[in-house]
Amino acid sequence: MHFVTAKGILSSTNGINLYRGCSHGCIYCDSRSKCYHMEHNFEDIEIKENAIDLLEYALKHKRKKCMIGTGSMADPYIPLEMETGNVRKALSLIYKYGFGVTILTKSDLILRDLDLLQKINEKTKCVVQITLTTYSEDLCKKIEPNVSTTKARFKVLKKLRELQIPTIVWLTPILPFINDTKDNISGILDMCIEAKVYGIICFGMGLTLWEGNREYFYKQLDLLFPRLKEKYIQAYKNQYIIESPNNKDLMGLFCQKCSKNGIIHNNKQIFQYLNTFEEKNSATQLDLWSLC
């Protein structure tokens, strides 16, 4: 890890990234792409040493309340968070100044902050987003080696449901010839149905490969799935969008199961929901679950 002094913390879309880089080791991670201009080793995590002060200043002087998001470029709940506590400090400020929050993670470390998530959700809105890519625990340990397994994330979804904190699942990426099967997609969807998630974000069955993450992905394929890299190169060459040959059938299954079980799966609708700030009080609090 290394420290930097940041000039700002809140993006134009009200997002924050307390860390830059990640130690989860997911073989497909788009954030490794060179287009994001990360000038340090991806596993050498950058910590913005003044992030909490910057965030407090930004929230204190913001004219309108809104949703604050984190996790789009770097998972906030990497193991390093246990040492710094920066996410918890940020959540405390978000609660203090009356903002909503939405968090995207693959880690069950988020359970540490349930007390703050509940408080924010009672006052405004808290939405937790969890990425699920594979129903198989063994495959999960291969393609996402240093992060909570699918079963652990499923437990997080169910716990949040118990506390009436709404959840969104990211069903992405789906890797051709690896996890693009009906059994896998159906297994993940059954978890989402049981956990009564609010919605599922899916951009199609496939992944994206930019310069930077493509090389890392192919290196991992050589280690974990011998000869599969050659199949990718033959099928996709240097394409950015890598679509599963099973995309049509799997998307049909996805849409059918979501519609049948009342799970929102229109990406535009979900993003609108994530970005909509809601202020609650005990008399008029929205019963989200009656709408699901």
Side-chain angles (χ1 to χ4, degrees):
M1 67 177 180
H2 64 281
F3 294 88
V4 298
T5 301
K7 294 181 179 179
I9 191 64
L10 201 59
S11 73
S12 59
T13 55
N14 301 309
I16 58 174
N17 282 302
L18 298 167
Y19 306 110
R20 199 154 189 244
C22 187
S23 57
H24 286 340
C26 303
I27 69 171
Y28 50 74
C29 182
D30 177 76
S31 295
R32 291 180 182 272
S33 302
K34 288 187 176 180
C35 62
Y36 299 120
H37 306 292
M38 194 173 295
E39 305 300 330
H40 56 87
N41 185 284
F42 193 70
E43 284 75 21
D44 178 19
I45 296 166
E46 181 179 286
I47 302 174
K48 300 170 184 177
E49 58 187 353
N50 58 336
I52 302 305
D53 290 339
L54 288 173
L55 180 61
E56 179 156 33
Y57 181 86
L59 296 180
K60 191 174 182 179
H61 292 86
K62 202 160 181 59
R63 292 183 178 181
K64 289 183 67 176
K65 297 290 191 295
C66 63
M67 297 294 290
I68 304 296
T70 188
S72 61
M73 285 298 297
D75 195 316
Y77 284 106
I78 52 178
L80 193 58
E81 167 61 18
M82 290 295 289
E83 298 178 34
T84 69
N86 280 346
V87 176
R88 185 164 181 85
K89 294 170 189 173
L91 289 173
S92 295
L93 289 175
I94 290 168
Y95 173 69
K96 176 182 177 181
Y97 290 103
F99 286 78
V101 71
T102 177
I103 303 171
L104 174 59
T105 184
K106 292 187 179 100
S107 176
D108 62 2
L109 179 55
I110 194 172
L111 294 176
R112 179 201 64 182
D113 295 329
L114 280 180
D115 59 329
L116 282 170
L117 300 180
Q118 281 183 275
K119 287 180 179 180
I120 293 170
N121 196 52
E122 288 167 0
K123 189 176 182 180
T124 59
K125 184 168 78 176
C126 169
V127 186
V128 175
Q129 305 170 71
I130 301 283
T131 300
L132 297 178
T133 61
T134 173
Y135 182 72
S136 164
E137 289 288 279
D138 290 337
L139 183 57
C140 179
K141 290 171 185 176
K142 271 189 171 184
I143 66 176
E144 300 161 344
N146 305 322
V147 69
S148 305
T149 65
T150 300
K151 284 185 179 178
R153 288 177 238 171
F154 178 45
K155 289 179 181 178
V156 172
L157 289 170
K158 290 196 292 183
K159 182 62 179 178
L160 293 168
R161 164 64 187 177
E162 288 174 15
L163 300 175
Q164 297 193 351
I165 295 173
T167 55
I168 302 291
V169 163
W170 286 65
L171 183 60
T172 182
I174 301 301
L175 313 178
F177 321 120
I178 296 176
N179 62 342
D180 59 337
T181 66
K182 287 187 176 180
D183 284 347
N184 182 54
I185 300 304
S186 189
I188 294 172
L189 292 174
D190 287 343
M191 285 182 164
C192 294
I193 293 164
E194 184 176 342
K196 297 183 179 179
V197 303
Y198 178 84
I200 303 176
I201 292 172
C202 180
F203 299 102
M205 303 297 167
L207 77 158
T208 57
L209 292 177
W210 281 110
E211 181 184 3
N213 79 311
R214 178 186 289 111
E215 289 78 6
Y216 185 83
F217 179 66
Y218 281 170
K219 180 181 177 181
Q220 296 305 309
L221 289 187
D222 279 340
L223 293 172
L224 301 168
F225 307 96
R227 295 178 295 280
L228 188 54
K229 179 182 75 174
E230 288 71 24
K231 191 172 183 178
Y232 265 79
I233 292 172
Q234 183 178 8
Y236 302 108
K237 298 183 171 55
N238 287 324
Q239 290 176 214
Y240 167 57
I241 297 176
I242 310 299
E243 183 179 283
S244 166
N246 303 323
N247 178 65
K248 184 177 179 181
D249 288 344
L250 294 179
M251 285 303 295
L253 172 66
F254 167 72
C255 293
Q256 186 270 331
K257 290 199 79 164
C258 285
S259 297
K260 182 179 178 180
N261 292 280
I263 296 175
I264 295 173
H265 54 287
N266 179 295
N267 291 345
K268 183 177 179 181
Q269 185 178 352
I270 294 173
F271 284 121
Q272 183 177 11
Y273 169 71
L274 289 171
N275 292 321
T276 301
F277 175 78
E278 298 171 14
E279 198 157 23
K280 303 172 185 174
N281 59 60
S282 58
T284 60
Q285 186 170 145
L286 175 65
D287 183 6
L288 185 66
W289 314 112
S290 67
L291 301 179
C292 294

